Amino acid sequence: MGNTKKMLFRAIEFVLRIIFIFCTLFPFYWMLVTSLKNRLEIHAKVPTFWPENITFENYINAFAQTRFDMFIKNSLIVTVISSLIVLVVSVLGGYALARYRFRGKNVILIIFLASQMIPMITAIIPMFILYSKLGLIDRLASLIASYTVSNIPFCLITMSSFFKRIPVSLEEAALIDGCSSFQSVVRIVLPTMLPGIMAVFVFAFTGAWNELFYSIMMISNEGRRTIPAGLMNFVQKYDIDWGQMTAAGFITLIPVTVMFFMVEKYIVAGLTQGAVKE
Amino acid sequence: MLLLPALLIVVGFMGYPLLYSVRISFLNYNLMAPNDVRFIGFDNYRKLFTDSEIKYVLLNSIKWVVTVVFFQFILGFILAMLLNKKFFGKKIYQSVVFLPWAVSGFLIGLIFKWVYSEHSGILNFMLLKLGIIDSPISWLGDGKYAMIGPITGMIWYGIPFFGIMILAALQSIPTDIFDSANIDGCSGIQKLFYVIIPFIKPTIIMTLLLRVIWVFNSPDIIYIMTGGGPANASNILSLYVFNQAFYSLDFGYGAAVGILMMALLVLYALVFLTLTRYERSGDF
C-alpha cells in the first residue's frame, strides 16, 4: 500500500519535471527552428517542427538588412565598460561594507536597498533632461552611466556578502607573513573571491545587455543603438520578418547563455545570499 | 573611503533625478513646446484625477502584478520542491530550468509574440487542431485577450527566480525537523503546511515583496508584444510613464505619473511589511 503510493508520487514528480523542462525549452527551440526555415515554411498552414530545408539566409539577412553588426558592437561597448566599472566599485564598496565598522553604515545600506526600489523608468525623464544638458544624448556614454548606476546597489551588496564569507583570519595570516593590507586583499582575498566576482560581473552584464527603455529613449541615431533598441523597430512593424528576428534573437542569446552556464552555481549563490538575506 | 565612489554615484544619479522629477512634475514641460516651460503648481496632479485612462491603466497594473506574481510563486514553489531531491542529471536539469532568468524581456516578448501570432502562430494552430477553437484568435490584437500573452511571457520569465530563492530556503531546513515530523506521524501535506511553509516564510515574504515591485516596474514584454494596446487594453502604469515621455513628450505629466507610481510603491511596501510582521508575531 505504502509502496504504490510512493510509486505514484514518484511518477507525478517525474511527469512534472518533464513538463517544466518542456515549457522552459520550447520557446528557445521554437525560436531556433523558426530561424532556420525559409519564409514560405515559416508561414506554412501546417507548421513543421523541424525545418524541411535548413537555411541560414535569415542569419545572413539579419546582418545584411539591419545594422545588426553595429548593434552588437554598441551593446558590447556599453555592456563591457559598465560591467567593469560596476565590478571595481562593488569590490571596493563591498569590501568596506563587509570588513569595516563605521558610523552611518546602516544608513548607507538603507540607501542602497531603497535605491533598488526606485523604478528606473521614473528616472527616465530627469535623466533625459540631464543628459541633454550634458550633451550626452545619442551617445553611448549616457547608457554606460545609466546601466552602471542601476546595477551598482545590488552588485555591491551581493559582493559584500561574498566578502563576508571569507574568514578575516585569512587576511591576518597574510599580514603576519609580511603582506601589506593592500597586498593581502589583492593576492589572497580576491583570488578566493573569484566565483563571487564572476557572478557579480554576470549580473551587471546581463542587466546592461538586456536593457531596453533607456536605450530607446537616449539614442535616436540608428548606428548607435544597442541590440534590443535596434531590433525594436523591426518588431513593431506590422509585417514582422520572423525568420530574421528569431535569427537575430538567437545570436543575442549566445553570450548571456554561455556566461550563465559557466557561473550558474555562483549566480544562484549570489541571488540567495545577496540583497535578500541582508 | 572605499565606499565613496559607489555612494557618490548612487546618490548623485538616483537622488538627483528623484528630486528633479518632483520639480518637473510641477512644470508645464512639453518637448513639443520647449519654450513654454513654466511653473503650473498642482495642475499635472489634478490631471491625474481627471485622466480617464489612468484608472484603467492602474487596474490593469493590478491585474498584471497579481496574476503574474501568483503563478510565478506557485510554479516556482513546485519547481523548488522538485529540485530539492536527488535525481539523475539534476545539475544540468537545474541549469536549464533556471536559464530564463538570463534572457532579456525583449527576447521573451519577441518569442511569445511569435507564438501568439494570429495567423502563423503555433498556439492558434494547436488550439485549432485540438478543436478547442474554431477560428484563429487575435491574441494580441483583441482587447479581451491582449493581457494573456504578455502575462504568460512574464510568468515564464520569473519562475526561475522564485525557484532559486525557495530552493535555497528549502535546503536550509534542518533535516531533524523532518525526522521529528515523521515520528509525530505527519502526512506529506501536513508537513508542507506545518513544517516547510512556516520555516521558509521569511524568504517567501521577502521574495514576494521584491517580485511585486519588480513586476510592477517591468513593462518590456508588454511593450514588445502589444505596445500596451489595443486602446490601453494591456497598458500598465510603468509603460504609461514611458509612453508619456517618449511618444507624448509631455515630461511634466509623465513625471507626475512617475511620482504617483513611487507613492504607490512606498505605500505598498509599508502595508505589506506591517501586515506580514503582524501575522508573524501572531503565528509563533
Side-chain angles (χ1 to χ4, degrees), chain A residues 6-258:
Chain A
K6 227 176 207 166
M7 288 287 280
L8 184 73
F9 199 66
R10 280 207 165 163
I12 294 173
E13 274 185 350
F14 184 74
V15 172
L16 282 175
R17 254 181 235 135
I18 301 284
I19 294 175
F20 265 104
I21 197 118
F22 175 80
C23 292
T24 308
L25 286 180
F26 184 78
F28 295 114
Y29 156 80
W30 197 235
M31 179 167 68
L32 176 64
V33 169
T34 308
S35 74
L36 296 171
K37 290 177 181 175
N38 62 35
R39 205 181 170 86
L40 223 70
E41 205 179 334
I42 289 174
H43 294 283
K45 272 246 153 52
V46 179
T48 45
F49 285 88
W50 191 252
E52 276 166 0
N53 309 297
I54 290 186
T55 167
F56 291 100
E57 64 183 39
N58 293 319
Y59 288 85
I60 297 164
N61 286 344
F63 282 97
Q65 291 174 11
T66 73
R67 305 193 65 183
F68 197 45
D69 51 336
M70 289 303 284
F71 302 157
I72 295 179
K73 194 183 124 204
N74 295 333
S75 267
L76 280 175
I77 293 174
V78 168
T79 307
V80 170
I81 295 180
S82 82
S83 324
L84 286 176
I85 301 175
V86 169
L87 196 63
V88 171
V89 174
S90 306
V91 166
L92 294 176
Y95 183 80
L97 213 54
R99 285 286 192 266
Y100 300 131
R101 283 168 187 227
F102 49 90
R103 273 220 278 177
K105 187 171 164 179
N106 277 333
V107 178
I108 290 176
L109 208 63
I110 289 170
I111 290 177
F112 283 144
L113 285 175
S115 68
Q116 277 195 278
M117 299 215 171
I118 298 175
M120 279 275 281
I121 221 148
T122 57
I124 213 166
I125 291 174
M127 287 322 276
F128 182 85
I129 297 172
L130 179 67
Y131 286 144
S132 48
K133 278 182 189 158
L134 296 173
L136 289 179
I137 292 299
D138 246 353
R139 287 178 187 276
L140 295 180
S142 65
L143 298 184
I144 295 174
S146 301
Y147 299 161
T148 305
V149 177
S150 65
N151 279 318
I152 280 179
F154 180 78
C155 288
L156 194 147
I157 293 170
T158 308
M159 192 62 101
S160 91
S161 78
F162 276 114
F163 269 121
K164 271 183 204 151
R165 272 185 279 168
I166 308 251
V168 187
S169 54
L170 204 66
E171 277 173 70
E172 287 165 355
L175 286 177
I176 291 168
D177 287 346
C179 285
S180 69
S181 59
F182 177 74
Q183 278 175 324
S184 80
V185 171
V186 172
R187 294 218 189 131
I188 312 291
V189 180
L190 286 184
T192 44
M193 285 279 292
L194 205 60
I197 289 175
M198 271 159 50
V200 166
F201 184 78
V202 175
F203 282 135
F205 191 97
T206 45
W209 185 258
N210 293 341
E211 205 281 333
L212 175 66
F213 291 107
Y214 272 67
S215 186
I216 294 176
M217 187 84 188
M218 307 304 173
I219 308 287
S220 59
N221 182 334
E222 178 86 7
R224 297 222 177 100
R225 291 219 160 108
T226 57
I227 300 171
L231 295 180
M232 199 61 220
N233 284 339
F234 297 89
V235 174
Q236 281 187 327
K237 280 194 304 193
Y238 178 71
D239 182 27
I240 301 168
D241 186 336
W242 287 111
Q244 225 179 77
M245 284 303 104
T246 47
F250 202 76
I251 297 173
T252 317
L253 201 57
I254 295 171
V256 275
T257 312
V258 170

Side-chain angles (χ1 to χ4, degrees), chain B residues 196-216:
Chain B
I196 297 177
I197 290 180
F199 200 90
I200 64 171
K201 207 163 146 196
T203 306
I204 293 179
I205 288 171
M206 247 354 250
T207 317
L208 281 176
L209 175 76
L210 289 174
R211 273 293 103 161
V212 165
I213 293 173
W214 199 80
V215 171
F216 186 72

Side-chain angles (χ1 to χ4, degrees), chain B residues 182-260:
Chain B
N182 284 335
I183 293 167
D184 290 344
C186 278
S187 72
I189 302 261
Q190 278 175 322
K191 252 187 280 180
L192 178 65
F193 283 101
Y194 295 111
V195 181
I196 297 177
I197 290 180
F199 200 90
I200 64 171
K201 207 163 146 196
T203 306
I204 293 179
I205 288 171
M206 247 354 250
T207 317
L208 281 176
L209 175 76
L210 289 174
R211 273 293 103 161
V212 165
I213 293 173
W214 199 80
V215 171
F216 186 72
N217 290 338
S218 304
D220 316 37
I221 295 179
I222 298 181
Y223 183 60
I224 287 137
M225 290 183 76
T226 66
N232 282 323
S234 58
N235 208 354
I236 61 167
L237 209 56
S238 41
L239 187 56
Y240 197 71
V241 174
F242 180 73
N243 285 340
Q244 290 300 329
F246 191 67
Y247 294 106
S248 311
L249 299 174
D250 190 342
F251 280 14
Y253 187 53
V257 181
I259 301 288
L260 169 75

